[in-house]
Amino acid sequence: MRRERLIDVAIPLVVFVLTLLLMGLPEATDSGRDGRSLDALGIVLAAATALPLLAVRRRPLLAFMLSTTASAAIFALDYPPGPPIGPTVALFYVALTPASTRLKRWLTPVIVVAFFSAHIAAFGLAHDTFPDGEILLGTIFWGGTWVLGERTRLRRQRIHELEERAQRAERDAERDRQLAAAEERTRIARDLHDSAGHAINVILVQAGAARLLQEQDPEAAREALGTIEAVARETLGEIDRLVGTLREQKTDTSVEPPQSLDALENLVAQHRAAGLEVDVRVRGSRRRVPPSVARAAYRIVQESLTNAARYGTGRADLGLSFGRRELAIFVRNPTSSLAAGNGENGHGIVGMRERAALLGGTLRVGRRGANFRVLARLPYGGDDS
């Protein structure tokens, strides 16, 4: 800002000094006729061509009109002729001004041409001749100035548009990163709910078994307490990692669910240790599936067995069917008469449905007779092998 102010003051000062030098050159009067020598009035007129340039940034057209009027007076009073420096500088700023801030599209050129004509006419009247050479030179000089200002304006406009586009792209990229981070935090929170819910249900079942068996079978009660300790320790570690990730607002691959279906064996073993009888059946050739399918399958089986332990009678059937293009997961468990909803509308079922839908799969849950069933189909785009 300070630099612009210095330039705004320097331009009129330079124009004033150059105009005085041109008006005071001795050679300017050696043209076969005596011109008017530089005097006080000439100095005032020279200042009048320069002073309007103080406002050339804010009002370039007005500065051009005032400076050209003073320059025309210099020519009309027969001072030594020279290039109209003040009007030329003002004309450059007129062309530099954005078209949207000018007068009507046709009015600005009309004003420029009118003042150019008045300037040339003043020269012709002072020298009593038709200024054909001056018309040609003035047209080239001022026309070139206008083209230079217009091209400079267009160049600045393009640079400004490119900067805005780059800033907009940065804002869009930042918004996308924030959305991705929000989605990731939501996924992590859902994993936290699944893990904590599973652990709490295992602990609940084991705690009940320990309470019932502490007198009849102390050894079984101790095993139940050991299972509670192991599950609590494992879950606490996972919760620490998940919460740490949420606080740091970044993705941490260490909190991802298992990347393969091998982890299902440990999951089933945990539930069996918690007292849930789980019968596992596998159909088709077991194959490696994409990590996204493995994660979804793990969470769906985990939530289903957790619901079976919470609302069921202590038994569940788990089936895995490997097809050519999809993995089918089937979980069935008998329900007690007190389990009216069996978690059908809970967050766990919603989460399972979302995981299946994200992979382009389906999930169906519901009662059939005395059993609660979960059927998930997770496509993995396999081949015919």
Side-chain angles (χ1 to χ4, degrees):
M1 196 68 179
R2 184 178 179 182
R3 180 172 175 268
E4 288 185 358
R5 290 178 180 175
L6 290 175
I7 293 176
D8 290 343
V9 174
I11 288 177
L13 183 61
V14 172
V15 168
F16 174 65
V17 172
L18 291 178
T19 302
L20 285 180
L21 290 176
L22 290 174
M23 293 175 65
L25 284 177
E27 293 85 355
T29 59
D30 294 342
S31 56
R33 58 186 300 277
D34 293 331
R36 183 167 180 170
S37 300
L38 182 63
D39 54 12
L41 178 60
I43 295 175
V44 171
L45 291 176
T49 64
L51 285 176
L53 300 181
L54 290 172
V56 74
R57 281 187 198 275
R58 301 184 299 275
R59 304 292 296 273
L61 188 59
L62 178 61
F64 169 76
M65 295 166 62
L66 294 176
S67 182
T68 305
T69 301
S71 180
I74 291 175
F75 276 51
L77 294 174
D78 201 20
Y79 284 101
I85 301 175
T88 303
V89 173
L91 181 63
F92 174 80
Y93 276 92
V94 171
L96 193 62
T97 304
S100 58
T101 61
R102 300 178 191 168
L103 298 176
K104 293 182 179 180
R105 182 173 300 182
W106 56 269
L107 189 55
T108 298
V110 167
I111 292 176
V112 171
V113 171
F115 274 81
F116 173 74
S117 301
H119 196 276
I120 294 298
F123 181 88
L125 291 174
H127 293 79
D128 196 19
T129 183
F130 184 76
D132 49 356
E134 284 70 18
I135 292 176
L136 178 61
L137 291 176
T139 302
I140 295 174
F141 192 63
W142 278 15
T145 301
W146 180 272
V147 171
L148 180 61
E150 186 76 12
R151 288 179 64 87
T152 303
R153 179 183 67 82
L154 293 176
R155 180 174 176 274
R156 288 183 178 180
Q157 182 176 333
R158 284 195 297 269
I159 293 175
H160 180 68
E161 290 175 353
L162 290 175
E163 290 176 350
E164 282 191 343
R165 189 181 304 172
Q167 292 174 359
R168 188 163 56 249
E170 290 180 359
R171 289 194 298 268
D172 292 342
E174 180 62 24
R175 185 174 63 251
D176 292 341
R177 285 193 294 269
Q178 291 178 355
L179 288 175
E183 291 176 357
E184 183 65 14
R185 290 194 294 272
T186 301
R187 183 196 63 77
I188 292 173
R190 187 167 60 241
D191 288 346
L192 178 60
H193 167 268
D194 294 343
S195 298
H198 163 69
I200 290 173
N201 277 278
V202 171
I203 291 172
L204 179 64
V205 172
Q206 291 296 320
R211 180 177 57 81
L212 294 174
L213 298 174
Q214 61 180 343
E215 295 181 359
Q216 294 91 339
D217 193 347
E219 182 64 27
R222 281 194 295 271
E223 290 181 1
L225 292 174
T227 301
I228 291 175
E229 181 182 3
V231 171
R233 183 179 294 110
E234 178 183 351
T235 304
L236 184 60
E238 185 172 4
I239 289 175
D240 287 340
R241 292 192 297 272
L242 289 168
V243 172
T245 301
L246 289 173
R247 285 177 177 173
E248 295 173 8
Q249 296 188 0
K250 65 180 182 180
T251 304
D252 186 354
T253 55
S254 65
V255 302
E256 287 285 346
Q259 303 289 313
S260 71
L261 294 178
D262 296 337
L264 290 178
E265 297 178 2
N266 294 332
L267 181 62
V268 171
Q270 285 183 2
H271 279 279
R272 284 173 175 167
L276 181 67
E277 296 181 13
V278 184
D279 182 24
V280 180
R281 295 183 181 182
V282 179
R283 294 180 56 187
S285 300
R286 190 182 181 99
R287 63 173 70 192
R288 295 185 63 84
V289 299
S292 57
V293 175
R295 291 195 295 267
Y298 182 89
R299 290 309 190 193
I300 289 173
V301 172
Q302 183 186 56
E303 182 66 28
S304 299
L305 294 182
T306 299
N307 285 341
R310 178 186 298 176
Y311 302 107
T313 59
R315 179 174 167 274
D317 297 320
L318 170 62
L320 301 175
S321 178
F322 292 88
R324 292 190 305 176
R325 296 185 178 278
E326 69 177 14
L327 169 67
I329 302 173
F330 175 74
V331 182
R332 177 182 60 194
N333 65 275
T335 58
S336 63
S337 58
L338 298 177
N342 204 52
E344 291 183 60
N345 299 318
H347 292 288
I349 299 296
V350 174
M352 289 195 296
R353 185 172 287 111
E354 288 180 354
R355 293 178 189 276
L358 286 174
L359 297 174
T362 59
L363 180 89
R364 290 189 296 172
V365 298
R367 284 176 172 273
R368 180 172 293 183
N371 295 320
F372 186 80
R373 300 188 176 199
V374 176
L375 176 59
R377 297 186 180 275
L378 306 177
Y380 45 68
D383 52 31
D384 295 339
S385 59

